[in-house]
Coordinates of all heavy atoms in Angstrom, one line a residue:
K224 N -16.0 -9.7 -19.6 CA -16.6 -10.0 -18.3 C -16.9 -11.5 -18.1 O -17.0 -12.3 -19.1 CB -17.9 -9.2 -18.2 CG -17.6 -7.7 -18.2 CD -18.9 -6.9 -17.9 CE -19.9 -7.0 -19.0 NZ -21.1 -6.1 -18.7
N225 N -17.0 -11.9 -16.9 CA -17.2 -13.3 -16.5 C -16.1 -14.2 -17.1 O -16.4 -15.4 -17.5 CB -18.6 -13.8 -17.0 CG -19.7 -13.1 -16.2 OD1 -19.6 -13.0 -15.0 ND2 -20.7 -12.7 -16.9
I226 N -14.9 -13.7 -17.2 CA -13.8 -14.4 -17.7 C -12.6 -14.3 -16.8 O -12.4 -13.2 -16.2 CB -13.4 -13.9 -19.1 CG1 -14.5 -14.2 -20.1 CG2 -12.1 -14.4 -19.7 CD1 -14.4 -13.5 -21.5
T227 N -11.8 -15.3 -16.7 CA -10.6 -15.3 -15.9 C -9.3 -15.5 -16.7 O -9.4 -16.0 -17.8 CB -10.6 -16.3 -14.7 OG1 -10.7 -17.6 -15.3 CG2 -11.7 -16.1 -13.8
V228 N -8.2 -15.0 -16.2 CA -6.9 -15.3 -16.9 C -6.4 -16.6 -16.3 O -6.1 -16.7 -15.1 CB -5.9 -14.1 -16.6 CG1 -4.5 -14.5 -17.1 CG2 -6.4 -12.8 -17.2
D229 N -6.3 -17.6 -17.2 CA -5.9 -19.0 -16.7 C -4.4 -19.2 -16.7 O -3.9 -19.9 -15.9 CB -6.6 -20.0 -17.6 CG -8.1 -20.3 -17.1 OD1 -8.5 -19.6 -16.2 OD2 -8.7 -21.1 -17.7
Q230 N -3.7 -18.6 -17.7 CA -2.3 -18.8 -17.8 C -1.6 -17.6 -18.5 O -2.2 -17.0 -19.4 CB -2.0 -20.1 -18.6 CG -0.6 -20.5 -18.7 CD -0.4 -21.8 -19.4 OE1 -1.3 -22.5 -19.7 NE2 0.9 -22.1 -19.7
V231 N -0.5 -17.3 -18.0 CA 0.3 -16.2 -18.6 C 1.8 -16.7 -18.8 O 2.4 -17.2 -17.9 CB 0.3 -15.0 -17.6 CG1 1.1 -13.8 -18.2 CG2 -1.1 -14.5 -17.4
E232 N 2.3 -16.5 -20.0 CA 3.6 -16.8 -20.3 C 4.3 -15.7 -21.1 O 3.6 -15.0 -21.9 CB 3.7 -18.1 -21.1 CG 3.3 -19.3 -20.4 CD 3.4 -20.6 -21.2 OE1 3.2 -20.5 -22.5 OE2 3.7 -21.7 -20.7
Q233 N 5.6 -15.4 -20.9 CA 6.3 -14.4 -21.6 C 7.4 -15.1 -22.5 O 8.1 -15.9 -22.0 CB 6.9 -13.4 -20.7 CG 7.6 -12.2 -21.4 CD 8.1 -11.2 -20.5 OE1 8.5 -11.5 -19.3 NE2 8.2 -9.9 -20.9
D234 N 7.4 -14.7 -23.7 CA 8.4 -15.2 -24.6 C 9.7 -14.6 -24.3 O 9.9 -13.4 -24.2 CB 8.0 -14.9 -26.1 CG 8.9 -15.5 -27.1 OD1 10.0 -15.1 -27.3 OD2 8.4 -16.5 -27.8
H235 N 10.7 -15.5 -24.1 CA 12.0 -15.0 -23.7 C 12.7 -14.1 -24.7 O 13.5 -13.3 -24.4 CB 12.9 -16.2 -23.3 CG 12.5 -16.9 -22.1 ND1 12.4 -16.4 -20.8 CD2 12.0 -18.2 -22.0 CE1 11.9 -17.3 -20.0 NE2 11.7 -18.4 -20.6
E236 N 12.4 -14.4 -26.0 CA 13.1 -13.6 -27.1 C 12.4 -12.4 -27.4 O 12.9 -11.3 -27.4 CB 13.2 -14.5 -28.3 CG 14.2 -15.7 -28.1 CD 14.4 -16.5 -29.3 OE1 13.8 -16.1 -30.4 OE2 15.0 -17.6 -29.3
T237 N 11.1 -12.5 -27.7 CA 10.3 -11.3 -28.1 C 9.8 -10.5 -27.0 O 9.4 -9.3 -27.1 CB 9.1 -11.7 -29.0 OG1 8.2 -12.4 -28.1 CG2 9.5 -12.6 -30.2
K238 N 9.8 -11.0 -25.8 CA 9.2 -10.4 -24.6 C 7.7 -10.2 -24.6 O 7.2 -9.5 -23.8 CB 9.9 -9.1 -24.3 CG 11.5 -9.2 -24.1 CD 11.8 -10.2 -23.0 CE 13.3 -10.3 -22.8 NZ 13.7 -11.3 -21.8
S239 N 7.1 -10.7 -25.6 CA 5.6 -10.6 -25.7 C 5.0 -11.6 -24.7 O 5.6 -12.6 -24.3 CB 5.1 -11.0 -27.1 OG 5.6 -10.1 -28.1
W240 N 3.8 -11.2 -24.3 CA 3.0 -12.0 -23.3 C 1.9 -12.8 -24.0 O 1.2 -12.3 -24.8 CB 2.4 -11.1 -22.2 CG 3.4 -10.4 -21.4 CD1 4.1 -9.3 -21.7 CD2 3.9 -10.9 -20.1 NE1 4.9 -8.9 -20.7 CE2 4.8 -9.9 -19.7 CE3 3.6 -11.9 -19.3 CZ2 5.5 -10.0 -18.4 CZ3 4.3 -12.0 -18.0 CH2 5.2 -11.0 -17.6
M241 N 1.8 -14.1 -23.7 CA 0.7 -14.9 -24.1 C -0.3 -15.1 -23.0 O 0.0 -15.8 -22.0 CB 1.2 -16.3 -24.6 CG 1.7 -16.2 -26.1 SD 3.3 -15.3 -26.2 CE 4.4 -16.5 -25.4
V242 N -1.4 -14.5 -23.1 CA -2.4 -14.5 -22.0 C -3.6 -15.4 -22.4 O -4.3 -15.1 -23.4 CB -3.0 -13.1 -21.8 CG1 -3.9 -13.1 -20.6 CG2 -1.8 -12.1 -21.5
T243 N -3.7 -16.5 -21.8 CA -4.7 -17.5 -22.1 C -5.9 -17.3 -21.1 O -5.7 -17.3 -19.9 CB -4.2 -19.0 -21.9 OG1 -3.1 -19.1 -22.8 CG2 -5.2 -20.0 -22.3
L244 N -7.1 -17.2 -21.7 CA -8.3 -16.9 -20.9 C -9.1 -18.2 -20.6 O -8.8 -19.2 -21.3 CB -9.2 -15.9 -21.7 CG -8.5 -14.6 -22.1 CD1 -9.4 -13.7 -22.9 CD2 -7.9 -13.8 -20.8
S245 N -10.0 -18.1 -19.7 CA -10.9 -19.2 -19.4 C -11.7 -19.7 -20.6 O -12.2 -20.8 -20.6 CB -11.7 -18.9 -18.2 OG -12.5 -17.7 -18.4
T246 N -11.9 -18.8 -21.6 CA -12.7 -19.2 -22.8 C -11.8 -20.0 -23.7 O -12.4 -20.6 -24.7 CB -13.1 -17.9 -23.5 OG1 -12.0 -17.2 -23.8 CG2 -14.1 -17.1 -22.6
G247 N -10.5 -20.1 -23.5 CA -9.7 -20.8 -24.4 C -8.9 -19.9 -25.3 O -7.9 -20.3 -26.0
Q248 N -9.4 -18.7 -25.4 CA -8.7 -17.7 -26.3 C -7.4 -17.3 -25.7 O -7.2 -17.2 -24.5 CB -9.6 -16.4 -26.4 CG -9.0 -15.3 -27.2 CD -9.8 -14.0 -27.1 OE1 -10.8 -13.9 -26.3 NE2 -9.4 -13.0 -27.8
T249 N -6.4 -17.0 -26.6 CA -5.1 -16.5 -26.2 C -4.8 -15.2 -26.8 O -5.0 -15.1 -28.0 CB -4.0 -17.5 -26.6 OG1 -4.1 -18.8 -25.9 CG2 -2.6 -16.9 -26.2
I250 N -4.5 -14.2 -26.0 CA -4.2 -12.9 -26.5 C -2.7 -12.7 -26.4 O -2.1 -12.9 -25.4 CB -4.9 -11.8 -25.7 CG1 -6.4 -12.0 -25.7 CG2 -4.6 -10.4 -26.2 CD1 -7.2 -11.0 -24.8
V251 N -2.1 -12.3 -27.6 CA -0.7 -11.9 -27.6 C -0.6 -10.4 -27.3 O -1.1 -9.6 -28.1 CB 0.0 -12.3 -28.9 CG1 1.5 -11.9 -28.9 CG2 -0.2 -13.8 -29.1
A252 N 0.1 -10.0 -26.2 CA 0.2 -8.6 -25.9 C 1.6 -8.2 -25.6 O 2.5 -9.0 -25.3 CB -0.6 -8.4 -24.6

Side-chain angles (χ1 to χ4, degrees):
K224 299 188 291 184
N225 293 315
I226 293 174
T227 58
V228 174
D229 280 1
Q230 187 175 348
V231 179
E232 293 181 328
Q233 187 177 28
D234 188 286
H235 293 298
E236 294 183 5
T237 66
K238 302 302 179 183
S239 296
W240 295 83
M241 280 69 72
V242 184
T243 303
L244 307 177
S245 55
T246 58
Q248 177 189 4
T249 296
I250 302 174
V251 179

